[in-house]
Amino acid sequence: MSAPAPDTRLDPAVSALLRRDPAGLVAAVVQQHDTGEVLMVAWMDDEALHRTLTTGRATYWSRSRGEYWVKGETSGHRQWVRDVRLDCDGDALLLLVDQEGPACHTGERSCFHTPLPAVPGAPA
């Protein structure tokens, strides 16, 4: 007799709080828990959020590959989840993590490493 399949369903009370895009996804902004540095943005569906909340490892839905990925599973640049918060509209998540190594696939610490030529306080 085989073991029962693990439960991958998100708590219905949590699921009811989410406002998903037409693909069933919610944006996840990822921030270093102790410095506030914004590291990256990724996407989650209910199962990715469930996996993240139950394992403590950041798990996302890859829109380009069409599969789940655990941050750092192949690179070793893991994200250990410290806290997960939902914004007031329910359409974005904030993951506070302890990032091991770079968060960006380019090798940069943050995906937000490209400045744009904007003048502070000036209309764009």
Side-chain angles (χ1 to χ4, degrees):
M1 184 166 151
S2 62
D7 186 3
T8 59
R9 292 171 295 160
L10 185 62
D11 180 327
V14 174
S15 182
L17 299 173
L18 301 176
R19 286 187 42 218
R20 299 160 193 82
D21 72 4
L25 302 173
V26 175
V29 177
V30 184
Q31 188 176 34
Q32 176 64 32
H33 77 96
D34 54 353
T35 66
E37 178 184 22
V38 178
L39 300 170
M40 57 181 272
V41 173
W43 296 93
M44 294 181 140
D45 65 3
D46 284 19
E47 184 171 340
L49 181 55
H50 172 79
R51 290 181 186 190
T52 297
L53 294 172
T54 58
T55 66
R57 295 284 308 281
T59 304
Y60 305 107
W61 175 255
S62 171
R63 296 177 300 168
S64 60
R65 294 189 309 260
E67 64 186 20
Y68 295 101
W69 56 283
V70 178
K71 181 67 175 167
E73 193 170 63
T74 56
S75 69
H77 302 148
R78 295 172 189 85
Q79 290 177 346
W80 301 98
V81 178
R82 296 293 189 98
D83 196 9
V84 178
R85 300 176 189 180
L86 183 63
D87 83 331
C88 59
D89 295 323
D91 60 0
L93 296 160
L94 174 64
L95 274 68
L96 300 172
V97 303
D98 189 11
Q99 175 70 46
E100 288 183 3
C104 187
H105 72 281
T106 65
E108 296 283 341
R109 169 77 180 160
S110 168
C111 292
F112 295 95
H113 60 270
T114 305
L116 297 178
V119 176

